[in-house]
Amino acid sequence: MPKPYPSEFRDDVVRVARNREPGVTIEQIAKDFGVHPMTLQKWLRRADIDAGAKPGTTRTEAAEIRELRKRNRLLEQENEVLRRAAAYLSQANLPGKGSTRS
């Protein structure tokens, strides 16, 4: 998998594409910067979403969702450990087998 372009580079290319002179195509700008035209189209679409010009999940929201899902998984694991510990401890305190008291 190719390394992702730095965000500063992507932002610069998007800015140049947005401020291009009439008659200059997206394909020409992509070629000038050494990226595939579809990659530049994707960056432009992502910039529109991040700016609120198009509906969709922004990069900030996507990062927050990833972090929340990670936190949720951790909390579910911790909850399972506590549930198992509670079940084990409740079994250990039952009178009967192994008890030497009369």
Side-chain angles (χ1 to χ4, degrees):
M1 184 170 175
K3 281 178 65 171
Y5 292 96
S7 60
E8 297 84 16
F9 175 75
R10 288 190 307 247
D11 294 342
D12 288 343
V13 175
V14 166
R15 187 173 29 75
V16 169
R18 293 255 189 266
N19 299 323
R20 68 186 184 271
E21 297 291 323
V24 177
T25 65
I26 295 292
E27 290 76 15
Q28 184 60 45
I29 293 171
K31 183 180 175 187
D32 290 347
F33 282 97
V35 297
H36 194 276
M38 286 306 295
T39 301
L40 179 51
Q41 289 286 357
K42 184 173 69 172
W43 293 349
L44 289 166
R45 202 167 32 253
R46 171 56 53 202
D48 285 343
I49 292 170
D50 288 345
K54 286 187 177 179
T57 304
T58 66
R59 283 187 275 195
T60 305
E61 291 170 333
E64 184 178 355
I65 289 169
R66 272 193 307 277
E67 287 299 315
L68 290 172
R69 286 181 178 157
K70 184 178 176 182
R71 176 81 175 133
N72 193 33
R73 276 193 305 276
L74 178 64
L75 290 172
E76 287 173 350
Q77 290 171 348
E78 290 174 356
N79 197 16
E80 182 61 25
V81 167
L82 291 173
R83 191 175 310 133
R84 289 180 185 193
Y88 175 77
L89 292 173
S90 69
Q91 290 296 319
N93 291 329
L94 288 178
K97 293 185 178 181
S99 179
T100 56
R101 291 189 220 167
S102 330

XYZ file of all heavy atoms in Angstrom:
815
model
N 0.852 -1.179 0.000
C 0.000 0.000 0.000
C 0.898 1.244 0.000
O 1.821 1.338 0.795
C -0.882 -0.035 1.248
C -1.874 1.064 1.314
S -3.006 0.713 2.681
C -3.946 2.173 2.662
N 0.621 2.189 -0.878
C 1.466 3.382 -0.932
C 1.295 4.238 0.315
O 0.250 4.241 0.950
C 0.962 4.118 -2.177
C -0.392 3.587 -2.431
C -0.433 2.197 -1.870
N 2.372 4.967 0.653
C 2.309 5.863 1.806
C 1.368 7.016 1.498
O 1.369 7.544 0.395
C 3.703 6.419 2.107
C 4.593 5.452 2.860
C 5.963 6.025 3.095
C 5.920 7.209 4.004
N 7.246 7.687 4.426
N 0.575 7.421 2.480
C -0.317 8.557 2.234
C 0.484 9.859 2.099
O 1.558 9.997 2.675
C -1.201 8.591 3.488
C -0.468 7.821 4.523
C 0.431 6.856 3.799
N -0.062 10.751 1.317
C 0.574 12.056 1.151
C 0.391 12.858 2.441
O -0.641 12.749 3.095
C -0.058 12.814 -0.013
C 0.225 12.201 -1.363
C -0.689 11.337 -1.966
C 1.397 12.483 -2.042
C -0.435 10.777 -3.208
C 1.661 11.941 -3.292
C 0.745 11.085 -3.860
O 1.003 10.535 -5.080
N 1.364 13.696 2.788
C 1.193 14.544 3.976
C -0.008 15.473 3.807
O -0.309 15.926 2.703
C 2.491 15.354 4.042
C 3.461 14.641 3.164
C 2.663 13.878 2.155
N -0.676 15.765 4.907
C -1.883 16.584 4.818
C -1.583 17.994 4.300
O -2.408 18.582 3.594
C -2.596 16.653 6.171
O -1.754 17.212 7.139
N -0.395 18.524 4.606
C -0.044 19.860 4.098
C 0.036 19.845 2.576
O -0.421 20.783 1.908
C 1.298 20.333 4.661
C 1.316 20.513 6.165
C 1.594 19.209 6.928
O 2.062 18.228 6.311
O 1.321 19.178 8.136
N 0.601 18.768 2.029
C 0.706 18.634 0.572
C -0.697 18.553 -0.033
O -1.007 19.250 -1.002
C 1.527 17.390 0.226
C 1.584 17.095 -1.253
C 2.376 17.844 -2.098
C 0.835 16.056 -1.796
C 2.439 17.578 -3.457
C 0.885 15.779 -3.152
C 1.687 16.540 -3.985
N -1.557 17.702 0.543
C -2.927 17.564 0.026
C -3.652 18.904 0.066
O -4.308 19.290 -0.906
C -3.703 16.530 0.849
C -3.263 15.107 0.608
C -4.215 14.132 1.263
N -4.417 14.423 2.662
C -4.028 13.665 3.664
N -3.406 12.542 3.421
N -4.257 14.017 4.905
N -3.513 19.608 1.192
C -4.187 20.910 1.316
C -3.682 21.912 0.279
O -4.467 22.668 -0.296
C -4.000 21.473 2.728
C -4.688 20.628 3.800
O -5.572 19.817 3.447
O -4.326 20.777 4.984
N -2.371 21.900 0.028
C -1.796 22.806 -0.981
C -2.317 22.481 -2.373
O -2.680 23.381 -3.133
C -0.266 22.738 -0.971
C 0.340 23.401 0.258
O -0.377 24.180 0.934
O 1.526 23.137 0.546
N -2.360 21.206 -2.719
C -2.833 20.800 -4.053
C -4.306 21.173 -4.210
O -4.716 21.684 -5.263
C -2.601 19.294 -4.291
C -3.192 18.852 -5.615
C -1.113 18.958 -4.231
N -5.101 20.946 -3.173
C -6.524 21.301 -3.230
C -6.679 22.812 -3.407
O -7.490 23.270 -4.214
C -7.266 20.807 -1.958
C -8.646 21.447 -1.832
C -7.375 19.292 -1.967
N -5.883 23.589 -2.685
C -5.958 25.050 -2.805
C -5.620 25.491 -4.232
O -6.311 26.329 -4.810
C -5.004 25.710 -1.806
C -5.136 27.216 -1.757
C -4.325 27.889 -0.667
N -3.102 27.224 -0.246
C -1.954 27.202 -0.932
N -1.879 27.814 -2.094
N -0.889 26.579 -0.455
N -4.566 24.901 -4.801
C -4.188 25.238 -6.185
C -5.307 24.851 -7.143
O -5.650 25.612 -8.060
C -2.855 24.542 -6.571
C -2.589 24.655 -8.057
C -1.699 25.132 -5.772
N -5.916 23.679 -6.943
C -6.996 23.218 -7.831
C -8.211 24.141 -7.723
O -8.858 24.448 -8.732
C -7.379 21.783 -7.489
N -8.514 24.595 -6.532
C -9.663 25.488 -6.338
C -9.425 26.861 -6.982
O -10.354 27.483 -7.476
C -9.916 25.700 -4.848
C -10.374 24.479 -4.127
C -11.854 24.583 -3.827
N -12.261 23.495 -2.954
C -12.764 22.366 -3.406
N -12.921 22.184 -4.696
N -13.125 21.408 -2.585
N -8.178 27.334 -6.964
C -7.856 28.680 -7.478
C -7.256 28.645 -8.873
O -6.607 29.613 -9.274
C -6.884 29.378 -6.508
C -7.481 29.543 -5.126
O -8.663 29.795 -4.985
N -6.664 29.368 -4.107
N -7.498 27.584 -9.601
C -6.891 27.446 -10.933
C -7.493 28.445 -11.923
O -8.613 28.914 -11.750
C -7.042 26.018 -11.445
C -8.455 25.604 -11.774
C -8.519 24.110 -12.138
N -9.835 23.704 -12.537
C -10.770 23.256 -11.709
N -10.525 23.179 -10.422
N -11.946 22.895 -12.164
N -6.691 28.756 -12.905
C -7.123 29.663 -13.966
C -8.152 28.956 -14.854
O -8.140 27.734 -14.965
C -5.915 30.054 -14.832
C -4.845 30.825 -14.086
C -5.292 32.214 -13.702
O -6.016 32.848 -14.487
O -4.917 32.660 -12.597
N -9.026 29.723 -15.492
C -9.964 29.105 -16.437
C -9.193 28.364 -17.537
O -8.180 28.850 -18.030
C -10.733 30.296 -17.013
C -10.561 31.393 -16.010
C -9.227 31.159 -15.360
N -9.666 27.193 -17.870
C -9.026 26.396 -18.909
C -8.010 25.394 -18.379
O -7.585 24.504 -19.106
N -7.585 25.545 -17.125
C -6.655 24.590 -16.530
C -7.490 23.464 -15.925
O -8.397 23.704 -15.115
C -5.783 25.260 -15.439
C -4.878 24.240 -14.781
C -4.976 26.404 -16.028
N -7.190 22.236 -16.325
C -7.999 21.100 -15.882
C -7.446 20.488 -14.592
O -6.276 20.685 -14.249
C -8.028 20.004 -16.964
O -6.701 19.493 -17.128
C -8.555 20.542 -18.288
N -8.311 19.759 -13.941
C -7.910 19.004 -12.750
C -6.811 18.006 -13.127
O -5.851 17.805 -12.372
C -9.126 18.253 -12.149
C -10.178 19.234 -11.627
C -8.716 17.270 -11.066
C -9.764 20.035 -10.419
N -6.952 17.402 -14.296
C -5.961 16.427 -14.760
C -4.576 17.062 -14.883
O -3.574 16.454 -14.510
C -6.382 15.808 -16.103
C -7.568 14.870 -16.013
C -8.911 15.579 -15.858
O -8.992 16.809 -16.104
O -9.877 14.907 -15.446
N -4.520 18.298 -15.388
C -3.235 18.995 -15.539
C -2.620 19.305 -14.176
O -1.423 19.123 -13.961
C -3.416 20.296 -16.344
C -2.110 21.013 -16.611
C -1.120 20.153 -17.399
O -1.474 19.518 -18.380
N 0.125 20.115 -16.945
N -3.437 19.756 -13.256
C -2.922 20.055 -11.917
C -2.420 18.779 -11.256
O -1.346 18.763 -10.646
C -4.009 20.742 -11.067
C -4.292 22.133 -11.651
C -3.585 20.838 -9.603
C -5.474 22.830 -11.060
N -3.186 17.693 -11.384
C -2.776 16.410 -10.801
C -1.446 15.972 -11.392
O -0.540 15.540 -10.663
C -3.855 15.357 -11.037
N -1.305 16.107 -12.713
C -0.059 15.725 -13.380
C 1.108 16.584 -12.885
O 2.199 16.071 -12.607
C -0.224 15.861 -14.894
C 0.982 15.430 -15.681
C 0.737 15.592 -17.178
C 1.988 15.269 -17.956
N 1.833 15.565 -19.378
N 0.856 17.892 -12.738
C 1.905 18.805 -12.269
C 2.411 18.431 -10.872
O 3.596 18.582 -10.576
C 1.405 20.249 -12.253
C 1.191 20.818 -13.654
O 1.662 20.191 -14.635
O 0.535 21.879 -13.763
N 1.509 17.939 -10.023
C 1.891 17.582 -8.657
C 2.261 16.107 -8.507
O 2.630 15.672 -7.417
C 0.769 17.942 -7.675
C 0.727 19.399 -7.344
C -0.136 20.256 -8.014
C 1.549 19.937 -6.365
C -0.183 21.609 -7.714
C 1.515 21.276 -6.054
C 0.648 22.126 -6.733
N 2.107 15.348 -9.589
C 2.491 13.939 -9.544
C 1.507 13.046 -8.816
O 1.900 12.040 -8.211
N 0.235 13.411 -8.853
C -0.796 12.554 -8.257
C -1.774 12.139 -9.340
O -1.874 12.773 -10.398
C -1.550 13.273 -7.106
C -0.612 13.620 -5.963
C -2.291 14.489 -7.584
N -2.498 11.075 -9.071
C -3.497 10.601 -10.027
C -4.696 11.550 -9.998
O -5.079 12.036 -8.923
C -3.931 9.178 -9.651
C -4.691 8.497 -10.727
N -6.039 8.676 -10.882
C -4.293 7.644 -11.697
C -6.450 7.958 -11.917
N -5.401 7.312 -12.428
N -5.311 11.814 -11.149
C -6.465 12.719 -11.177
C -7.608 12.293 -10.257
O -8.251 13.128 -9.625
C -6.913 12.704 -12.644
C -5.680 12.334 -13.405
C -4.894 11.427 -12.508
N -7.839 10.976 -10.148
C -8.906 10.507 -9.251
C -8.557 10.781 -7.787
O -9.439 11.036 -6.971
C -9.175 9.009 -9.458
C -9.915 8.694 -10.753
S -11.463 9.614 -10.949
C -12.405 8.953 -9.595
N -7.265 10.740 -7.467
C -6.829 11.061 -6.108
C -7.152 12.519 -5.805
O -7.692 12.839 -4.735
C -5.321 10.795 -5.953
O -5.056 9.428 -6.225
C -4.841 11.144 -4.563
N -6.858 13.395 -6.746
C -7.154 14.814 -6.555
C -8.661 15.041 -6.450
O -9.112 15.828 -5.614
C -6.557 15.653 -7.689
C -6.817 17.155 -7.622
C -6.461 17.739 -6.265
C -6.067 17.870 -8.733
N -9.445 14.346 -7.258
C -10.912 14.460 -7.173
C -11.388 14.055 -5.779
O -12.252 14.708 -5.192
C -11.593 13.568 -8.229
C -11.436 14.050 -9.642
C -12.295 15.276 -9.950
O -13.071 15.759 -9.132
N -12.139 15.800 -11.152
N -10.802 12.986 -5.247
C -11.169 12.513 -3.909
C -10.806 13.561 -2.858
O -11.576 13.832 -1.941
C -10.463 11.181 -3.628
C -10.846 10.553 -2.311
C -10.267 9.164 -2.152
C -8.770 9.247 -2.004
N -8.137 7.967 -1.670
N -9.620 14.164 -2.998
C -9.201 15.205 -2.057
C -10.142 16.404 -2.118
O -10.474 16.994 -1.085
C -7.774 15.653 -2.347
C -6.730 14.616 -2.083
C -6.884 13.420 -1.441
C -5.360 14.686 -2.458
N -5.685 12.750 -1.400
C -4.733 13.501 -2.016
C -4.606 15.628 -3.128
C -3.382 13.241 -2.219
C -3.248 15.377 -3.336
C -2.648 14.188 -2.876
N -10.560 16.786 -3.315
C -11.487 17.907 -3.479
C -12.834 17.595 -2.822
O -13.418 18.450 -2.137
C -11.677 18.247 -4.955
C -10.475 18.898 -5.646
C -10.644 18.871 -7.157
C -10.286 20.318 -5.146
N -13.315 16.372 -3.017
C -14.585 15.952 -2.411
C -14.474 15.974 -0.878
O -15.355 16.472 -0.184
C -14.943 14.550 -2.923
C -16.376 14.195 -2.821
C -16.787 12.944 -3.598
N -15.779 11.905 -3.720
C -15.105 11.624 -4.844
N -15.340 12.302 -5.940
N -14.223 10.644 -4.873
N -13.347 15.457 -0.352
C -13.106 15.435 1.096
C -13.037 16.863 1.643
O -13.585 17.158 2.703
C -11.816 14.676 1.392
C -11.296 14.742 2.809
C -12.219 14.312 3.899
N -12.784 13.000 3.703
C -13.916 12.597 4.299
N -14.553 13.374 5.124
N -14.388 11.395 4.081
N -12.391 17.776 0.916
C -12.289 19.175 1.347
C -13.670 19.821 1.400
O -13.963 20.593 2.315
C -11.359 19.948 0.422
N -14.540 19.505 0.425
C -15.912 20.024 0.429
C -16.682 19.534 1.649
O -17.410 20.295 2.282
C -16.658 19.615 -0.844
C -16.220 20.409 -2.065
O -15.593 21.474 -1.888
O -16.507 19.955 -3.188
N -16.507 18.262 1.983
C -17.195 17.692 3.149
C -16.675 18.334 4.424
O -17.449 18.734 5.297
C -17.030 16.159 3.188
C -17.804 15.524 2.028
C -17.481 15.587 4.524
C -17.522 14.042 1.821
N -15.342 18.464 4.525
C -14.753 19.071 5.721
C -15.180 20.528 5.885
O -15.316 21.014 7.007
C -13.223 18.974 5.690
C -12.726 17.557 5.928
O -13.513 16.706 6.387
O -11.535 17.304 5.652
N -15.387 21.218 4.774
C -15.793 22.623 4.811
C -17.302 22.783 5.044
O -17.787 23.882 5.250
C -15.399 23.319 3.514
N -18.039 21.667 4.996
C -19.480 21.722 5.187
C -20.252 22.034 3.926
O -21.465 22.230 3.969
N -19.562 22.064 2.781
C -20.229 22.370 1.516
C -21.006 21.171 0.980
O -21.937 21.339 0.195
C -19.213 22.824 0.476
N -20.630 19.969 1.402
C -21.319 18.746 0.995
C -21.602 17.918 2.244
O -20.843 17.968 3.212
C -20.448 17.916 0.042
C -20.332 18.464 -1.348
C -19.605 17.482 -2.244
C -19.540 18.001 -3.661
N -18.831 17.076 -4.545
N -22.692 17.141 2.207
C -22.981 16.297 3.366
C -21.986 15.137 3.466
O -21.452 14.677 2.461
C -24.394 15.772 3.086
C -24.560 15.876 1.607
C -23.697 17.028 1.158
N -21.726 14.709 4.677
C -20.817 13.592 4.904
C -20.113 13.736 6.236
O -20.279 14.729 6.944
N -19.315 12.734 6.565
C -18.570 12.723 7.821
C -17.227 13.407 7.610
O -16.448 12.990 6.753
C -18.352 11.276 8.291
O -19.614 10.630 8.396
C -17.663 11.238 9.639
N -16.954 14.439 8.399
C -15.694 15.156 8.274
C -14.563 14.309 8.845
O -14.797 13.336 9.570
C -15.738 16.502 9.019
O -15.862 16.243 10.415
C -16.878 17.379 8.541
N -13.325 14.693 8.542
C -12.165 13.972 9.078
C -12.156 14.030 10.602
O -11.825 13.055 11.266
C -10.866 14.548 8.521
C -10.592 14.107 7.099
C -9.238 14.571 6.666
N -9.335 15.946 6.166
C -8.401 16.546 5.463
N -7.276 15.943 5.201
N -8.574 17.775 5.030
N -12.533 15.165 11.154
C -12.564 15.321 12.605
C -13.589 14.380 13.225
O -13.307 13.706 14.216
C -12.894 16.777 12.979
O -11.969 17.649 12.339
C -12.853 16.994 14.475
N -14.774 14.338 12.622
C -15.815 13.441 13.123
C -15.400 11.984 12.988
O -15.642 11.183 13.898
C -17.123 13.671 12.372
C -17.785 14.995 12.674
C -18.944 15.313 11.756
O -18.970 14.824 10.603
O -19.822 16.063 12.190
N -14.764 11.636 11.872
C -14.321 10.260 11.663
C -13.286 9.859 12.716
O -13.336 8.749 13.261
C -13.748 10.087 10.257
N -12.366 10.760 13.033
C -11.355 10.472 14.058
C -12.017 10.306 15.418
O -11.652 9.412 16.194
C -10.310 11.587 14.096
N -12.997 11.149 15.711
C -13.707 11.053 16.985
C -14.476 9.740 17.078
O -14.461 9.074 18.123
C -14.662 12.241 17.136
C -15.367 12.277 18.465
C -16.279 13.482 18.614
O -16.300 14.342 17.718
O -16.964 13.547 19.645
N -15.111 9.337 15.997
C -15.843 8.069 15.975
C -14.899 6.900 16.195
O -15.195 5.984 16.973
C -16.630 7.912 14.650
C -17.808 8.887 14.636
C -17.125 6.477 14.470
C -18.492 9.008 13.293
N -13.724 6.928 15.553
C -12.730 5.862 15.758
C -12.310 5.775 17.221
O -12.242 4.690 17.800
C -11.494 6.102 14.886
C -11.576 5.507 13.508
C -10.215 5.506 12.810
N -9.563 6.813 12.791
C -9.813 7.776 11.911
N -10.702 7.581 10.963
N -9.165 8.927 11.967
N -12.034 6.934 17.830
C -11.620 6.959 19.232
C -12.734 6.458 20.150
O -12.477 5.730 21.110
C -11.192 8.370 19.645
C -9.865 8.792 19.069
C -8.721 7.887 19.511
O -8.626 7.543 20.703
O -7.922 7.509 18.640
N -13.971 6.855 19.867
C -15.095 6.409 20.688
C -15.321 4.906 20.566
O -15.625 4.236 21.565
C -16.365 7.181 20.312
C -16.375 8.651 20.722
C -17.579 9.366 20.127
C -16.355 8.797 22.234
N -15.166 4.373 19.365
C -15.314 2.920 19.187
C -14.218 2.169 19.930
O -14.464 1.129 20.541
C -15.293 2.562 17.705
C -16.577 2.933 17.007
C -16.563 2.553 15.553
N -17.849 2.885 14.949
C -18.035 3.087 13.672
N -17.018 2.989 12.824
N -19.225 3.373 13.201
N -13.003 2.706 19.883
C -11.883 2.098 20.604
C -12.169 2.111 22.108
O -11.975 1.105 22.795
C -10.607 2.878 20.279
C -9.348 2.333 20.866
C -8.166 3.192 20.396
C -6.869 2.767 21.025
N -5.758 3.630 20.612
N -12.632 3.246 22.605
C -12.950 3.376 24.031
C -14.086 2.432 24.414
O -14.063 1.809 25.473
C -13.333 4.829 24.320
C -13.765 5.094 25.726
C -12.584 5.264 26.637
N -13.060 5.643 27.954
C -12.644 5.074 29.065
N -11.719 4.151 29.029
N -13.133 5.446 30.214
N -15.084 2.313 23.547
C -16.214 1.429 23.799
C -15.753 -0.029 23.904
O -16.189 -0.760 24.800
C -17.259 1.593 22.700
C -18.573 0.951 23.064
O -18.954 0.921 24.220
N -19.264 0.432 22.065
N -14.863 -0.463 22.995
C -14.334 -1.830 23.054
C -13.601 -2.074 24.369
O -13.765 -3.120 25.000
C -13.379 -2.100 21.884
C -14.065 -2.513 20.603
C -13.078 -3.064 19.576
N -11.979 -2.152 19.277
C -12.024 -1.167 18.395
N -13.115 -0.959 17.694
N -10.968 -0.394 18.197
N -12.799 -1.106 24.788
C -12.058 -1.231 26.036
C -13.011 -1.341 27.229
O -12.829 -2.196 28.099
C -11.119 -0.035 26.217
C -10.301 -0.013 27.505
C -9.348 -1.201 27.540
C -9.522 1.279 27.608
N -14.036 -0.507 27.253
C -15.003 -0.555 28.345
C -15.771 -1.872 28.360
O -16.055 -2.424 29.429
C -15.965 0.632 28.256
C -15.351 1.997 28.563
C -16.346 3.109 28.249
C -14.894 2.074 30.004
N -16.110 -2.401 27.176
C -16.792 -3.698 27.104
C -15.895 -4.810 27.641
O -16.372 -5.701 28.355
C -17.225 -4.000 25.672
C -18.406 -3.163 25.222
C -18.731 -3.325 23.745
O -17.933 -3.945 23.006
O -19.793 -2.836 23.335
N -14.596 -4.758 27.334
C -13.663 -5.762 27.854
C -13.554 -5.656 29.369
O -13.572 -6.669 30.075
C -12.289 -5.596 27.215
C -12.240 -5.978 25.759
C -10.923 -5.598 25.108
O -10.124 -4.856 25.659
N -10.699 -6.113 23.903
N -13.446 -4.433 29.877
C -13.373 -4.239 31.322
C -14.641 -4.731 32.010
O -14.591 -5.365 33.073
C -13.135 -2.765 31.651
C -11.753 -2.274 31.271
C -11.582 -0.770 31.467
O -12.572 -0.089 31.825
O -10.462 -0.294 31.258
N -15.780 -4.474 31.404
C -17.062 -4.916 31.951
C -17.125 -6.442 32.002
O -17.600 -7.019 32.990
C -18.205 -4.351 31.104
C -19.529 -4.409 31.819
O -19.582 -4.589 33.026
N -20.606 -4.250 31.071
N -16.639 -7.099 30.970
C -16.633 -8.571 30.934
C -15.737 -9.134 32.031
O -16.085 -10.115 32.690
C -16.184 -9.065 29.560
C -16.195 -10.566 29.407
C -17.568 -11.200 29.583
O -18.593 -10.519 29.363
O -17.613 -12.394 29.961
N -14.575 -8.530 32.251
C -13.674 -8.975 33.323
C -14.376 -8.842 34.676
O -14.336 -9.764 35.500
C -12.354 -8.162 33.308
C -11.562 -8.391 34.577
C -11.533 -8.530 32.081
N -15.036 -7.718 34.901
C -15.751 -7.517 36.167
C -16.900 -8.510 36.327
O -17.140 -9.028 37.427
C -16.268 -6.079 36.255
C -15.196 -5.000 36.405
C -15.821 -3.613 36.301
C -14.462 -5.154 37.726
N -17.612 -8.787 35.257
C -18.724 -9.750 35.297
C -18.212 -11.139 35.678
O -18.784 -11.813 36.529
C -19.417 -9.789 33.941
C -20.730 -10.538 33.965
C -21.469 -10.455 32.639
N -21.538 -9.066 32.210
C -21.244 -8.635 30.978
N -20.907 -9.468 30.048
N -21.298 -7.373 30.662
N -17.095 -11.545 35.057
C -16.520 -12.861 35.363
C -15.990 -12.912 36.798
O -16.138 -13.922 37.483
C -15.412 -13.192 34.378
C -15.938 -13.501 33.001
C -14.829 -13.828 32.054
N -15.347 -14.019 30.707
C -14.668 -14.550 29.726
N -13.412 -14.928 29.903
N -15.208 -14.700 28.542
N -15.376 -11.833 37.250
C -14.860 -11.794 38.621
C -16.009 -11.885 39.618
O -15.916 -12.610 40.616
C -14.062 -10.514 38.848
N -17.095 -11.181 39.355
C -18.253 -11.227 40.248
C -18.848 -12.631 40.287
O -19.207 -13.133 41.359
C -19.306 -10.206 39.805
N -18.935 -13.280 39.143
C -19.466 -14.649 39.099
C -18.555 -15.601 39.860
O -19.017 -16.452 40.626
C -19.625 -15.105 37.652
N -17.268 -15.477 39.702
C -16.303 -16.338 40.401
C -16.389 -16.124 41.906
O -16.447 -17.080 42.686
C -14.883 -16.051 39.905
C -13.824 -16.808 40.667
C -13.606 -18.155 40.422
C -13.073 -16.172 41.651
C -12.646 -18.858 41.133
C -12.116 -16.854 42.372
C -11.900 -18.209 42.107
O -10.956 -18.895 42.824
N -16.411 -14.871 42.330
C -16.456 -14.578 43.760
C -17.773 -15.014 44.391
O -17.800 -15.456 45.543
C -16.201 -13.098 44.005
C -14.779 -12.623 43.675
C -14.692 -11.118 43.791
C -13.754 -13.307 44.569
N -18.867 -14.921 43.667
C -20.149 -15.357 44.224
C -20.169 -16.874 44.384
O -20.771 -17.385 45.320
C -21.314 -14.881 43.364
O -21.316 -15.556 42.124
N -19.501 -17.614 43.508
C -19.408 -19.077 43.629
C -18.491 -19.455 44.779
O -18.717 -20.438 45.463
C -18.879 -19.692 42.326
C -19.849 -19.610 41.172
C -21.115 -20.402 41.433
O -21.080 -21.494 41.972
N -22.250 -19.801 41.063
N -17.446 -18.673 45.030
C -16.478 -18.995 46.081
C -17.078 -18.811 47.470
O -16.635 -19.446 48.414
C -15.243 -18.106 45.921
N -18.097 -17.990 47.618
C -18.680 -17.726 48.922
C -19.876 -18.610 49.255
O -20.488 -18.423 50.294
C -19.098 -16.255 49.020
C -17.903 -15.329 49.053
O -16.832 -15.723 49.563
N -18.051 -14.133 48.534
N -20.215 -19.543 48.376
C -21.364 -20.428 48.652
C -20.999 -21.441 49.717
O -19.927 -22.047 49.651
C -21.792 -21.143 47.370
C -22.482 -20.316 46.317
C -22.788 -21.168 45.087
C -23.775 -19.719 46.847
N -21.872 -21.668 50.701
C -21.595 -22.719 51.670
C -21.797 -24.097 51.033
O -22.521 -24.237 50.043
C -22.635 -22.465 52.767
C -23.722 -21.704 52.109
C -23.086 -20.952 50.956
N -21.153 -25.075 51.543
C -21.339 -26.418 50.972
C -20.013 -27.066 50.710
O -19.191 -27.213 51.599
N -19.760 -27.459 49.480
C -18.546 -28.171 49.094
C -17.298 -27.439 49.577
O -17.167 -26.252 49.414
C -18.469 -28.322 47.579
C -19.521 -29.214 47.005
C -19.282 -29.404 45.533
C -20.307 -30.347 44.964
N -20.120 -30.574 43.566
N -16.425 -28.186 50.181
C -15.155 -27.649 50.587
C -15.217 -26.888 51.896
O -14.212 -26.446 52.407
N -16.385 -26.752 52.463
C -16.498 -25.998 53.713
C -16.222 -26.904 54.892
O -16.719 -28.035 54.943
C -17.916 -25.417 53.818
O -18.046 -24.714 55.031
N -15.427 -26.473 55.844
C -15.077 -27.300 56.997
C -15.921 -26.946 58.200
O -15.784 -27.533 59.245
C -13.580 -27.107 57.351
O -13.347 -25.725 57.563
C -12.701 -27.653 56.261
N -16.805 -25.991 58.058
C -17.677 -25.609 59.157
C -18.845 -26.600 59.269
O -19.310 -27.114 58.280
C -18.267 -24.219 58.931
C -17.235 -23.137 59.043
C -17.953 -21.810 59.019
N -17.139 -20.892 58.210
C -17.560 -19.756 57.777
N -18.785 -19.379 58.000
N -16.778 -18.976 57.098
N -19.353 -26.772 60.494
C -20.509 -27.632 60.688
C -21.669 -26.854 61.237
O -21.606 -25.970 61.943
C -20.292 -28.773 61.663
O -19.024 -29.243 61.747
